[in-house]
Amino acid sequence: MQAKIARMQEELRQKTVEATSGGGMVRVTCNGQQEILSIAIDPELLEEKDVEMLQDLILVAVNEALKRSRELAQEELAKITGGFTIPGL
């Protein structure tokens, strides 16, 4: 079981999820280990010079990407454990 979990964790590092906000103007890519891989901002958004809105859009996209990453990890772990919850994983 430990070997399967270690392999799953490595596979999660390779899998990615993506989240957007502002109608796709901010796009965040995260891997299955909750590491942010990239943030893309549509240049049109920068023309508005609304820093607070940009910050809010980034925050929303990052939080959604991290949420999706955690869900992905839980789904993969459930495949190995048969749905049992293992503390710390």
Side-chain angles (χ1 to χ4, degrees):
M1 172 91 75
Q2 287 179 334
K4 287 181 181 180
I5 291 173
R7 188 175 7 173
M8 177 207 64
Q9 288 175 332
E10 184 54 39
E11 289 173 2
L12 285 172
R13 180 164 283 145
Q14 305 303 318
K15 293 184 178 189
T16 61
V17 294
E18 186 176 275
T20 63
S21 64
M25 296 189 87
V26 175
R27 182 181 342 278
V28 175
T29 304
C30 181
N31 70 13
Q33 297 233 319
Q34 290 81 52
E35 298 170 333
I36 302 297
L37 302 176
S38 68
I39 298 176
I41 300 169
D42 188 316
E44 288 182 31
L45 190 57
L46 299 175
E47 292 173 7
E48 295 181 28
K49 298 182 182 179
D50 186 346
V51 174
E52 287 183 28
M53 181 179 69
L54 177 59
Q55 291 169 337
D56 289 344
L57 291 174
I58 292 170
L59 187 60
V60 166
V62 166
N63 283 329
E64 181 62 24
L66 291 173
K67 177 184 170 206
R68 290 179 183 181
S69 175
R70 285 189 298 273
E71 289 170 351
L72 174 65
Q74 289 174 351
E75 290 169 9
E76 293 299 315
L77 183 59
K79 291 176 186 176
I80 293 172
T81 64
F84 290 106
T85 303
I86 298 174
L89 293 178

